[in-house]
Structure formats: structure tokens, C-alpha cells
């Protein structure tokens, strides 16, 4: 019920936009976020957004390069990624928060969807 898409192979310095479509009723009223997991590394919260779309959070590693947003119906969340680096290579997945506020910790999320692979070549 959470489907991420938009991943692919891109050269360093390039851009990609990921999309996450949510079929759950909770998505429109809850905060949402994007995680990534690189091979051999722990899952990392990259960005999150509150249900209104006005509050956002970014990990230091992506601040200034990534932008999270959501549609007016609140059921689709985007992650615009620019100035990509090889260290951004990972499987990216979206998740639904437990409440309406912007989640900033992993335990504040309740559902994760299937991921999409982003590969950045140097």
C-alpha cells in the first residue's frame, strides 16, 4: 500500500525525483518520510514532512540537496534529489508516521513500503 518509484542509475552531480504513492487512509492525515539503506549500513532517515506539508526535516548528509514535498491530497510524497553523490547510492523507501506531526525518529514511523534502488556513478 506504499509504493516508491523513480529510482535508477544517475551520474554524480545529477538529479532524480522519487515518488511514493500511498493507498492507506492514514497517509493523508499523517507525517511521512523517506529512508535509505546502503549495502552493509543501517537504515537512515533522510527526510520527513508533516501532514500539512509545511514542516520538513532533513538529515545533515542531504540538507541543501534534497527536497521533500507532498501533493494537496496528501497521498503522494516526493523526494527531489539534486547534486547526487556516490554515497547517496542506496535503496530508498517511504514510510508513514504514527501521527500528524513531522517524524524525526525511526520509532515515530509505523509502516514502510517497498524500496526503489538509486545508484549514483562517479
Amino acid at each position: 500500500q506504499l509504493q516508491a518509484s523513480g529510482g535508477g542509475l544517475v551520474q554524480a552531480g545529477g538529479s532524480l525525483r522519487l515518488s511514493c504513492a500511498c493507498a492507506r487512509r492514514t497517509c493523508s492525515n499523517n507525517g511521512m518520510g523517506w529512508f535509505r539503506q546502503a549495502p552493509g549500513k543501517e537504515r537512515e532517515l533522510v527526510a520527513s514532512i508533516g501532514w500539512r506539508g509545511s514542516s520538513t526535516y532533513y538529515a545533515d548528509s542531504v540538507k541543501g540537496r534534497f527536497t521533500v514535498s507532498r501533493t494537496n491530497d496528501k497521498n503522494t510524497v516526493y523526494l527531489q534529489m539534486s547534486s547526487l553523490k556516490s554515497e547517496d547510492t542506496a535503496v530508498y523507501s517511504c514510510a508513514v508516521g504514527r501521527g500528524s506531526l513531522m517524524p524525526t525518529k525511526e520509532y515515530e514511523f509505523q509502516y514502510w513500503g517497498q524500496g526503489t534502488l538509486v545508484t549514483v556513478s562517479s
Side-chain angles (χ1 to χ4, degrees):
Q1 292 180 314
L2 280 175
Q3 183 64 52
S5 61
L9 175 63
V10 62
Q11 289 188 333
S15 299
L16 275 178
R17 188 177 80 157
L18 305 183
S19 300
C20 175
C22 181
R24 290 180 176 271
R25 294 182 62 182
T26 52
C27 289
S28 60
N29 297 318
N30 286 32
M32 294 186 69
W34 285 95
F35 286 80
R36 69 183 180 187
Q37 187 165 22
K41 294 189 176 181
E42 294 187 354
R43 184 165 59 187
E44 172 191 20
L45 175 61
V46 173
S48 65
I49 188 167
W51 79 276
R52 291 182 184 273
S54 56
S55 299
T56 56
Y57 162 86
Y58 297 96
D60 288 343
S61 57
V62 306
K63 203 171 291 183
R65 299 189 297 122
F66 290 11
T67 302
V68 62
S69 61
R70 64 192 305 169
T71 53
N72 288 337
D73 64 8
K74 310 294 190 290
N75 289 330
T76 302
V77 178
Y78 300 101
L79 185 67
Q80 177 67 47
M81 306 185 294
S82 303
S83 301
L84 284 163
K85 307 175 181 179
S86 57
E87 50 263 44
D88 294 320
T89 295
V91 174
Y92 286 72
S93 58
C94 56
V96 181
R98 296 183 183 276
S100 61
L101 299 178
M102 173 189 69
T104 60
K105 305 292 184 185
E106 187 163 335
Y107 65 81
E108 294 175 328
F109 290 87
Q110 55 180 324
Y111 307 117
W112 276 261
Q114 294 292 329
T116 184
L117 176 62
V118 173
T119 304
V120 183
S121 63
S122 57

